[in-house]
Amino acid sequence: MALLPILRYPDPRLHTKAAPVSVVDDAIRTLVADMAETMYEAPGIGLAATQVNVHKRIIAIDISEDKSQLQVFINPEILTHDGECESEEGCLSVPGIYERVRRNHRVRVRALNLDGQVFETEAEGLLAVCLQHEIDHLEGIVFVEHLSRLKRFRIKSKLAKQARITA
């Protein structure tokens, strides 16, 4: 396994729409293992392949306290959504920034697993929010794009300042 570099907002590659995975093979399974290691090390609870500059429709999520329940969704699609919630979100591609975002409280998702088998799952609360956040990444959308233009400008300025300080 290997740690992968995470793209940082406002990197334009984060706006690339991911392509579907045609075959779930060993290369995809290796990518997922690397994504999981990267996500845990960051640390985070979700990572889309787009965030590591691989533009395939793959997401890894683990919302467990002890990081023991990795969930992988290949070619995920939201089938149904219900309810509304607002919660604070952060993103490994937007380090140190947390903002309130409105999402659906419940979603039903269809995806492929690591064996290439189709499955469906219903999620609510944090898992539903995480799925929507990561699926947005696959569509080339970063969570800050759900915020006002002014907030996005302030976030870009803050991140630019952080980059100058660490450079």
Side-chain angles (χ1 to χ4, degrees):
M1 293 191 297
L3 291 177
L4 305 170
I6 298 172
L7 298 178
R8 299 284 176 98
Y9 181 79
D11 191 310
R13 295 172 290 180
L14 288 168
H15 298 292
T16 304
K17 190 169 179 174
V21 172
S22 55
V23 177
V24 179
D25 56 14
D26 286 342
I28 294 296
R29 287 185 276 278
T30 298
L31 172 61
V32 168
D34 292 345
M35 287 174 59
E37 183 178 359
T38 302
M39 176 184 72
Y40 291 134
E41 180 69 24
I45 61 170
L47 187 67
T50 300
Q51 293 176 270
V52 294
N53 201 29
V54 176
H55 303 288
K56 296 179 188 254
R57 297 187 70 80
I58 303 169
I59 59 178
I61 295 174
D62 189 339
I63 60 170
S64 68
E65 289 291 322
D66 62 355
K67 305 300 179 200
S68 65
Q69 297 174 20
L70 179 66
Q71 298 179 70
V72 176
F73 300 82
I74 300 169
N75 298 336
E77 59 179 309
I78 295 174
L79 301 175
T80 62
H81 53 84
D82 184 34
E84 197 173 277
C85 65
E86 184 175 339
S87 58
E88 190 172 78
E89 291 186 28
C91 181
L92 296 178
S93 292
V94 192
I97 304 295
Y98 299 91
E99 292 287 342
R100 295 194 71 73
V101 177
R102 295 184 85 71
R103 301 265 187 198
N104 293 108
H105 179 69
R106 261 181 306 284
V107 294
R108 182 165 190 78
V109 173
R110 176 186 301 136
L112 300 176
N113 64 21
L114 285 173
D115 295 321
Q117 302 299 312
V118 176
F119 72 96
E120 290 185 13
T121 190
E122 288 197 27
E124 63 180 44
L126 180 58
L127 181 56
V129 167
C130 197
L131 280 163
Q132 291 168 85
H133 177 111
E134 300 307 334
I135 290 171
D136 270 0
H137 275 300
L138 301 180
E139 295 297 323
I141 300 166
V142 180
F143 91 100
V144 296
E145 291 161 24
H146 290 282
L147 306 174
S148 70
R149 182 175 290 174
L150 176 61
K151 280 190 177 181
R152 283 195 310 272
F153 175 77
R154 287 181 177 162
I155 289 167
K156 283 181 184 178
S157 297
K158 183 176 182 177
L159 293 175
K161 183 178 178 181
Q162 286 174 356
R164 284 193 302 274
I165 290 170
T166 59

